[in-house]
Every structure is written in structure tokens, then in C-alpha cells.
Amino acid sequence: MNKIELKKRLLEVCIARQQKTAAELQQEVDETLRLSNEYGAPKDRYDPYRTKLMNQNNLFAQQLKQANALLVTLQKIPLDREIRSVEFGAIVITDKQKIFVSVSLGKVELDGEAFYAISPQVPIFAAMRGKKAGESFTFNGRKTQILDVF
């Protein structure tokens, strides 16, 4: 598989995973709203059950907002632009691991290979930003060689 196809498939896996997360959170938001509506009006001024439902709903709604923001970020990754140095949207192959600079999703499996989806806000990205294939960087006292960037 060529590099463009690999990036396209990896991005599809990441988007599908994020869409699943967003859908699950939407179900939680809908469920807490349904339970709140079925419960009816507050029984008194300090109704603990209704307060709990509303707090859960607010939590799920905030998580859904973040999940959707990550989804939008993933959808902005260009597939048609050639990348030669470590930047947002790059796949970085090192002598230790394979990294996809996108959003923080952690380990992503594709065809039995592990890639680590990281955000540009994490410290390891700062250590390798702008580096090219053949260069190395040091992070947490460990030297890492960059084998390929695309």
C-alpha cells in the first residue's frame, strides 16, 4: 500500500472511531434528557435525583462537544498535500513507533500495525516538530531516529 493510501485508511479508522464515540455520547445525552422528562417537574427545590440527571446531562453534553471538535479537526487533515517534515497531519515512522499527528486518540490499529494518534499539543510533538526523515530527536532522555515522514 502506498503512503497516500495508508494515510487515507488510517484517517478513515480514526474518523470512524471518533464518530462512534460521538454517537455513544449523543445516546447518553438523549437518555439523561429522556429520564429527566419522564421524572417530571422537580419534587422540591433541592431535588437530588433531578440535579444528578442534569449534572450527568451537562457532563455528557460537554464530552460530546469535545468529541465533535476532535472529529472536525480530523476532517481538516489534508490528504492531497505532500508532507516532508513533522507537522499536523503527518505520519511519522521512527525506530520505536509509528505516530499520526492528528488528535489524541492513543493506539490505533490498522492491518495489524499499531499507530499512535497524538495531538500537536503533546510534549513529544514539540520535540520532533519540523524534523525530517533521517533526523533524530530526544524526548524524556531517549534519542529517537525518524525513518520516514509523510
Side-chain angles (χ1 to χ4, degrees):
M1 160 178 9
N2 68 35
K3 293 175 182 181
I4 294 172
E5 184 64 24
L6 173 66
K7 184 184 282 188
K8 180 181 176 199
R9 291 193 52 219
L10 185 58
L11 184 57
E12 287 170 354
V13 168
C14 290
I15 288 173
R17 187 161 153 190
Q18 198 58 31
Q19 285 173 329
K20 182 178 183 233
T21 298
E24 289 169 354
L25 287 166
Q26 183 63 58
Q27 286 177 337
E28 294 294 342
V29 166
D30 294 345
E31 180 65 10
T32 55
L33 282 176
R34 184 187 67 75
L35 289 171
S36 179
N37 289 337
E38 286 178 1
Y39 183 70
K43 306 303 181 214
D44 63 29
R45 187 171 169 190
Y46 302 105
D47 189 339
Y49 181 70
R50 182 152 182 99
T51 300
K52 177 185 169 193
L53 286 175
M54 296 317 298
N55 286 342
Q56 283 180 325
N57 185 271
N58 290 339
L59 175 68
F60 290 133
Q62 184 61 33
Q63 290 174 344
L64 176 60
K65 182 179 174 184
Q66 291 170 345
N68 284 329
L70 292 179
L71 191 55
V72 167
T73 301
L74 283 169
Q75 292 166 339
K76 290 180 180 179
I77 294 175
L79 293 174
D80 56 351
R81 203 178 100 234
E82 187 174 348
I83 295 178
R84 293 192 178 153
S85 63
V86 179
E87 62 181 82
F88 176 73
I91 292 178
V92 183
I93 310 296
T94 74
D95 58 346
K96 295 180 177 51
Q97 60 189 355
K98 297 173 182 169
I99 300 168
F100 182 33
V101 182
S102 53
V103 298
S104 292
L105 293 179
K107 186 177 180 181
V108 178
E109 294 276 338
L110 178 64
D111 297 334
E113 288 187 79
F115 291 83
Y116 293 89
I118 66 165
S119 161
Q121 282 78 38
V122 299
I124 193 169
F125 175 75
M128 64 180 171
R129 170 185 241 149
K131 303 279 186 194
K132 296 180 167 80
E135 295 182 328
S136 62
F137 63 94
T138 302
F139 180 69
N140 283 345
R142 294 178 55 196
K143 188 173 180 180
T144 301
Q145 182 74 29
I146 297 174
L147 305 176
D148 200 1
V149 178
F150 55 95

